[in-house]
Amino acid sequence: MKKTVFSITAFAISAAMLVGCGGAKKEGGKKGALSGSNAEKVYVAPGEHDEFYAFISGGFSGQLAVYGLPSGRLFKVIPIFSQDAEKAYGYNEETKPMLETSYGFVPWDDAHHPDLSQTKGEIDGRWCFINGNNTPRIARVDLKTFETAEILEIPNSAGNHSSSFVTENTEYVVAGTRFSVPVPQRDMPISEYKGNFKGALSFISVGNEGEMDLSFQILMPGFDYDLAHPGRGASHGWFFFTTYNSEEANSLLEVNASQNDKDFIAAINWKKAEEYIAAGKFTTVPAEYAHNVYSDRTHSATSTMKKEVRVLNPADCPGLVYFLPTPKSPHGCDVDPSGEYIVGNGKLSANLTVHSFTKMLDAIKNEKFDGEAYGIPILKFEDVLAGTVVQPGLGPLHTEFDDKGNAYTTFFISSEVVKWKLGTWEVLDRKPTYYSVGHLMIPGGNSQKPWGKYLVAMNKITKDRYLPTGPELCQSAQLYDISGDKMELLSDFPTIGEPHYAAACPADLIAPNQTKIYKLEDNQHPYVAKSEKETKVVREGNVVHVYMTMIRSHFAPDNIEGIKVGDKVYFHVTNLEQDYDVPHGFAMIGANNSELLIMPGQTETLFWEPKQVGVWPMYCTDFCSALHQEMQGYVRVSPAGSSTALSWSLDGE
Amino acid sequence: MKTSKIIMIVAALLPTALFFLPMWTIQLSAPQYPEPLGMEIFITKIAGEKDGDLQNINLMNHYVGMKEIPEHIPEFEFFPWIVGGMIVLGVVFGLIGNRLLFLLWFWIASILGCLGMYDFYQWEYDYGTSLDPKAAIKFMDEAGQLITYQPPLIGTQTILNFEATSLPAIGAYILFLGMALSIVAYWVGRYEAGHKFPPL
């Protein structure tokens, strides 16, 4: 009955929109408006929840955006690789170590490919991984708290693009380099690239609590390693990477890396790699890379510098790597849910190439080689080819799969999504995208169990899809219903940064596990004050530590005197609340960083250097309660060398 | 042993539950609290239904000047003795087996129950009406009188943005069952003594 009412309401709303709009201009829009059921499909009634969580990369914002599907509503932007003044991420003392690298503090990155953890080939809703492309890093987001829990820098890598993809039991999260570079880095002529530069593929083990450790790297020839996906089912134990620039050009790549008729998909047998590691066939090379871990107990992050990495050289490890010739400069490297088909999306090719894992094993067994490259056997194209989707569109980039044996490929140049059949390679349907689609995502797409209900296309060009906002426009995603024979465009929704890949899963894998508050009794922050009685102000030379608490609707203490110009003041602020969704904010006039936004039971620290004599206010920034505006206080700043005694109080006590 | 004695002893032992289970519960829901805040009253303590509930009720109430929910009240000292005494008394009456003593136990329990409710009402009255004169929020009714916040003794009542519901909890229901059983024991005793049909 409830559903019926909602359906009728939705129909009425869509009908009203149709009348109100007077007919939409564009094809996609017109169809959506004419078909009332499309509005109904994306309508999530007030107070109701979406069916899926979608984690959509924030691209060059460095962050990760969390949306609901089918509504396309934005719930949270999780700061990962970039500072976020709203949440004090990278600004407060606790999270600054998260952005430490071997290059020092790097407050930005280019986030690309989120992937969700899996157990037995199915998404398990524990963690979301995402790569930083520019200063190579892999981050892990804890899906109990939706906070960045860990960031691991990747040494010997540059343009960490073929990342981050997990194996089917989250044994590894895998990261490949886009740029090949001298390994180890050294001063040498760029023109001597060929044969000297190397491409590192990194296998990061993931522990039971999610902890990441760079287990080993495979040092590949100096190609560009573009994208990757794991084998699954029968092909579990293998990993597949697309390559381009097998020409090993070091300049004007748009021409010089587009000469070879075929580049390669590199098939890595990582089970074999584990055997070689166990047999001691690796070399340990010096490296410097940061490992940053955030603790929900201390509410603080630590950064440690790691000093070496184990490296495997494919030429010394027979059976570790094979090359599958793939036309032409393949971009996406996608493995179907059964693990049998490996799709190479040759972005400059007219056709779509699909390799067969069974045929690949057979070719390896019978040594059907077509030469080798740097000691790596090249399999014969014809012997590994499963089939070709003939002339499906222009500029294929990425393929995802549903649970009915269909594949969906994006075409950047012809700006469309094409649905085709695995095995028969026939094209079943095509729908335009608006405009120039990059990645696409089907919930569970990188797993054995996709939920073939929705498809999200992430477009590179927005142009006229929304109200204009000056020269810089939002990015645009489009939601398609793929439950029927034909795809149907349901809605457009704006996205942040430039979303590359995304990952999604049913909400019930994640929603029931949410942390609602941090228990105050479990707080192990070194500067916590667990009650107003424990608040104090401590001076150590010119460093002042303020142990402060906040609760509806006051700070304790809220009057502080005896601070002097030139002091270095640390406000360690604990939110004493133990109630769901009652954060408090903390802002200090003239602070050269950000606010604090502190969750119940959490402690965060704001650093403040008072520069001027006076009495300076602080206040709560989050409208916490009826008396939020009263939640304020003062700090008296005396001249350097003044004899004002250190004192603090709340209501005169 | 006679059935009536067994029933009486069981009846007397049932209130043991009060040492483990709450006897009363007050729930507060509001638009901002779709999942209600709740306090549970035991014979030895007042506890939150969930972690943090007591603190959150206190936080809400301090704006209108209500006192904090006490961690300790004198009743916690002697309630356990009264309940314990009633259990011992009931078991002794059961062993003696005189059915009039069963009735006596029922009446003592009823009187003590009423006294307990009166005590509870007194506390609620004080809790809802003794307000801090420095309270941040003071609401007046139409007659210009300061609004008070006494929760209902039993049932549901709207207090500002909160809907307060006060009801017996599982411990009280077990006590009621024990009291009802003592009446059953009395009837069965009569039947065993040769009265053919228990009178109404």
Side-chain angles (χ1 to χ4, degrees), chain B residues 2 12 28 34 44-45 47-48 54 61 67 81 112 124-125 135-136 140 168 194 197:
Chain B
K2 278 189 191 165
L28 298 165
T44 51
K45 63 175 180 186
L54 284 193
N61 291 349
K67 283 184 272 199
W81 290 102
L112 288 173
E124 281 193 333
Y125 179 81
M140 303 295 173
F197 205 73

Coordinates of all heavy atoms in Angstrom, one line a residue, chain B residues 2 12 28 34 44-45 47-48 54 61 67 81 112 124-125 135-136 140 168 194 197:
Chain B
K2 N 1.6 -30.3 48.6 CA 0.3 -29.9 48.0 C 0.6 -28.9 46.9 O 1.5 -28.1 47.0 CB -0.5 -29.2 49.1 CG -1.3 -30.1 49.9 CD -2.3 -29.3 50.8 CE -2.9 -30.1 51.8 NZ -3.6 -29.2 52.8
A12 N 6.2 -16.7 45.2 CA 7.1 -15.8 46.0 C 8.5 -15.7 45.4 O 9.1 -14.7 45.6 CB 7.2 -16.5 47.4
L28 N 11.6 8.5 25.8 CA 11.4 9.8 25.2 C 11.7 9.8 23.8 O 12.8 9.5 23.4 CB 12.4 10.8 25.9 CG 12.2 11.0 27.5 CD1 13.4 11.7 28.1 CD2 10.9 11.7 27.8
P34 N 14.4 9.9 16.5 CA 13.6 8.8 15.9 C 13.8 7.5 16.6 O 12.9 6.7 16.7 CB 14.0 8.7 14.4 CG 15.4 9.4 14.4 CD 15.4 10.4 15.5
T44 N 17.7 -1.2 42.2 CA 19.0 -0.8 42.7 C 19.7 0.3 41.9 O 20.7 0.8 42.3 CB 20.0 -2.0 42.7 OG1 20.0 -2.6 41.4 CG2 19.6 -3.1 43.7
K45 N 19.1 0.7 40.8 CA 19.8 1.7 40.0 C 18.8 2.2 38.9 O 17.7 1.7 38.7 CB 21.0 1.1 39.3 CG 20.6 0.0 38.3 CD 21.8 -0.6 37.6 CE 21.3 -1.7 36.6 NZ 22.4 -2.4 35.9
A47 N 19.2 3.1 34.9 CA 20.1 2.9 33.8 C 19.6 3.4 32.5 O 18.3 3.5 32.4 CB 20.5 1.4 33.7
G48 N 20.4 3.7 31.5 CA 20.0 4.1 30.2 C 19.6 2.8 29.4 O 20.2 1.8 29.7
L54 N 21.2 8.1 29.4 CA 21.1 9.0 30.6 C 21.7 10.3 30.4 O 21.1 11.4 30.7 CB 21.7 8.3 31.8 CG 20.9 7.1 32.4 CD1 21.4 6.8 33.8 CD2 19.4 7.5 32.5
N61 N 17.5 17.9 29.3 CA 16.7 18.4 30.4 C 17.4 19.7 31.0 O 16.7 20.5 31.6 CB 16.5 17.4 31.4 CG 15.5 16.3 30.9 OD1 14.8 16.5 29.9 ND2 15.4 15.2 31.6
K67 N 16.8 18.7 37.1 CA 18.0 18.1 37.7 C 18.5 16.9 36.9 O 17.7 16.4 36.1 CB 17.6 17.7 39.1 CG 17.5 18.8 40.1 CD 17.3 18.3 41.5 CE 15.8 18.2 41.7 NZ 15.4 18.2 43.1
W81 N 16.0 -4.9 50.2 CA 15.6 -5.6 51.4 C 14.1 -5.9 51.4 O 13.7 -7.0 51.9 CB 16.0 -4.8 52.6 CG 17.5 -4.7 52.8 CD1 18.3 -3.7 52.5 CD2 18.3 -5.8 53.3 NE1 19.6 -4.0 52.8 CE2 19.6 -5.3 53.3 CE3 18.1 -7.1 53.8 CZ2 20.7 -6.0 53.7 CZ3 19.1 -7.8 54.2 CH2 20.4 -7.3 54.1
L112 N 2.5 -2.6 49.4 CA 3.9 -2.1 49.1 C 4.0 -1.6 47.7 O 4.7 -0.6 47.5 CB 4.9 -3.2 49.3 CG 5.1 -3.6 50.8 CD1 6.0 -4.9 50.9 CD2 5.8 -2.5 51.6
E124 N 8.9 11.8 40.5 CA 8.5 12.4 39.2 C 8.1 13.8 39.3 O 8.5 14.7 38.5 CB 7.4 11.6 38.5 CG 7.9 10.3 37.8 CD 6.8 9.8 36.9 OE1 5.6 10.0 37.1 OE2 7.1 9.1 35.9
Y125 N 7.3 14.1 40.4 CA 6.8 15.4 40.6 C 8.0 16.4 40.9 O 8.1 17.4 40.3 CB 5.9 15.5 41.8 CG 5.3 16.8 42.1 CD1 4.3 17.4 41.4 CD2 5.9 17.6 43.2 CE1 3.8 18.7 41.7 CE2 5.5 18.9 43.4 CZ 4.4 19.4 42.7 OH 4.0 20.7 43.0
A135 N 17.6 28.4 34.6 CA 17.5 27.7 33.4 C 17.5 28.5 32.1 O 16.9 29.7 32.1 CB 16.2 26.9 33.4
A136 N 18.1 28.0 31.0 CA 18.2 28.8 29.8 C 16.9 29.0 29.2 O 16.6 30.1 28.6 CB 19.2 28.1 28.9
M140 N 6.2 29.5 29.4 CA 5.0 29.8 30.1 C 3.8 29.2 29.5 O 3.8 29.1 28.2 CB 4.8 31.3 30.2 CG 6.0 32.0 30.8 SD 6.3 31.6 32.5 CE 7.9 32.5 32.9
P168 N 5.2 0.0 33.0 CA 5.9 -1.0 33.7 C 6.9 -1.8 32.8 O 6.6 -1.9 31.6 CB 4.8 -2.0 34.2 CG 3.5 -1.2 34.0 CD 3.8 -0.2 32.9
G194 N -11.5 -29.0 50.1 CA -12.8 -29.6 49.9 C -13.9 -28.7 49.3 O -15.0 -29.1 49.0
F197 N -16.0 -25.5 44.4 CA -15.9 -24.5 43.4 C -15.4 -23.2 44.0 O -16.0 -22.7 44.9 CB -17.3 -24.3 42.8 CG -17.3 -23.8 41.3 CD1 -16.9 -24.6 40.3 CD2 -17.6 -22.4 41.1 CE1 -16.9 -24.1 39.0 CE2 -17.6 -22.0 39.8 CZ -17.2 -22.8 38.7

